[in-house]
């Protein structure tokens, strides 16, 4: 059984701070890793993906991958109240299917 | 560009009734998926279709059937609805590029079985 683990939160940070979201996965054969954002009552939307060890930056978002530790994280710099949402980590282990974590709720207070 | 479109957005069924959830994508993706999302459970894969003409079971397929009607459309059928199938259902599609399969989601169907 492939598993993706996330803390459910909520993770509370003040506006302007760095939010750090973490995810671990069980399948060492996993190839690519995704972060989705889901606002309450809405569908998940892709923020970014990463498939090589190291960091990948996109605007205020940085994804970090450590395959040896089976760990992937998402950093959100200069957090805004509009970033308040549930963040889903997803892992691609098979040909095209994704296994999702249960998500971490992020609350950014003004 | 509509992306992934699901119908209906909301539905209430009585136990034992049947219904079909429709999904269509206009991104020319080969792969399509049906997920359900329950509080505290995350997104769980019900069925997927890696390409037109193929379908495979996911993590929670019991009580569901699917049809990949053509490259654009992938439907999910509940033959005899049960209260345990009350959930939010999401259709998604993806294309694989260098082993990276980014999934794009529809807006969801909120199903209540009473």
């Amino acid at each position: 059984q492939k598993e993706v683990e996330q803390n459910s939160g909520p993770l509370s940070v003040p506006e302007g701070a760095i939010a750090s979201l973490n995810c671990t996965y069980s399948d060492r054969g996993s190839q690519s890793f995704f972060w989705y954002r889901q606002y309450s009552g809405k569908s998940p939307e892709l923020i970014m993906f990463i498939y090589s060890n190291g960091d990948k930056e996109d605007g205020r978002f940085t994804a970090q991958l450590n395959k040896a530790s089976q760990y992937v994280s998402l950093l959100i710099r200069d957090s805004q109240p509009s970033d308040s949402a549930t963040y889903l980590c997803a892992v691609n282990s098979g040909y095209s299917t994704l296994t999702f974590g249960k998500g971490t709720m992020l609350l950014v207070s003004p | 560009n509509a992306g992934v479109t699901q119908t209906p957005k909301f539905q209430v069924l009585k136990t034992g009734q049947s219904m079909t959830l429709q999904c269509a994508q206009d991104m020319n993706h080969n792969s399509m998926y049906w997920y359900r999302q329950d509080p505290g459970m995350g997104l769980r894969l019900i069925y997927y279709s890696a390409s037109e003409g193929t379908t495979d079971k996911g993590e929670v397929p019991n009580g569901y059937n699917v049809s990949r009607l053509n490259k654009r459309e992938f439907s999910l059928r509940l033959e005899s609805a049960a209260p345990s199938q009350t959930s939010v259902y999401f259709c998604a599609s993806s294309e694989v590029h260098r082993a990276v399969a980014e999934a794009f989601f529809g807006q969801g169907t909120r199903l209540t079985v009473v």
Side-chain angles (χ1 to χ4, degrees):
Chain A
Q1 182 80 3
K2 300 169 186 173
E3 295 184 345
V4 178
E5 300 288 341
Q6 297 181 255
N7 288 324
S8 60
L11 172 66
S12 296
V13 300
E15 184 174 358
I18 295 175
S20 178
L21 303 158
N22 304 313
C23 172
T24 59
Y25 58 95
S26 64
D27 185 0
R28 283 197 171 274
S30 299
Q31 299 170 345
S32 48
F33 308 85
F34 301 81
W35 284 100
Y36 284 81
R37 177 176 60 200
Q38 187 175 26
Y39 293 111
S40 181
K42 302 296 185 182
S43 59
E45 55 179 333
L46 181 67
I47 298 174
M48 60 192 306
F49 65 86
I50 185 169
Y51 55 87
S52 299
N53 274 329
D55 295 359
K56 179 181 179 181
E57 187 174 318
D58 184 0
R60 296 187 296 113
F61 299 96
T62 299
Q64 299 175 317
L65 175 61
N66 184 326
K67 289 187 177 180
S69 300
Q70 295 176 245
Y71 177 91
V72 59
S73 65
L74 179 70
L75 301 178
I76 306 175
R77 290 182 299 281
D78 188 24
S79 295
Q80 300 298 309
S82 59
D83 294 326
S84 296
T86 296
Y87 289 80
L88 304 172
C89 174
V91 174
N92 173 217
S93 299
Y95 174 72
S96 62
T97 59
L98 295 178
T99 300
F100 283 82
K102 295 178 181 179
T104 299
M105 181 182 293
L106 173 66
L107 299 176
V108 181
S109 55
Chain B
N1 190 350
V4 180
T5 303
Q6 292 181 233
T7 55
K9 290 185 175 58
F10 301 93
Q11 184 71 48
V12 178
L13 288 179
K14 294 182 179 179
T15 297
Q17 286 185 320
S18 63
M19 79 162 295
T20 299
L21 281 64
Q22 306 286 353
C23 176
Q25 52 95 6
D26 62 4
M27 295 176 282
N28 203 36
H29 288 166
N30 279 312
S31 301
M32 297 186 73
Y33 315 84
W34 279 103
Y35 287 90
R36 61 178 289 173
Q37 187 173 38
D38 304 291
M41 297 298 294
L43 282 160
R44 293 183 291 171
L45 184 64
I46 305 172
Y47 271 94
Y48 68 99
S49 171
S51 62
E52 186 179 355
T54 69
T55 60
D56 286 286
K57 296 179 180 180
E59 182 185 355
V60 288
N62 291 343
Y64 306 95
N65 285 301
V66 291
S67 295
R68 183 74 183 268
L69 304 171
N70 47 55
K71 190 172 185 179
R72 289 187 64 248
E73 299 173 287
F74 189 37
S75 62
L76 178 72
R77 183 161 178 83
L78 287 70
E79 291 291 352
S80 179
S84 61
Q85 294 177 304
T86 293
S87 188
V88 180
Y89 291 85
F90 288 103
C91 177
S93 70
S94 75
E95 195 59 63
V96 179
H97 300 288
R98 297 184 296 162
V100 176
E102 310 168 44
F104 296 87
F105 286 81
Q107 73 271 44
T109 296
R110 294 185 176 276
L111 175 66
T112 302
V113 182
V114 298

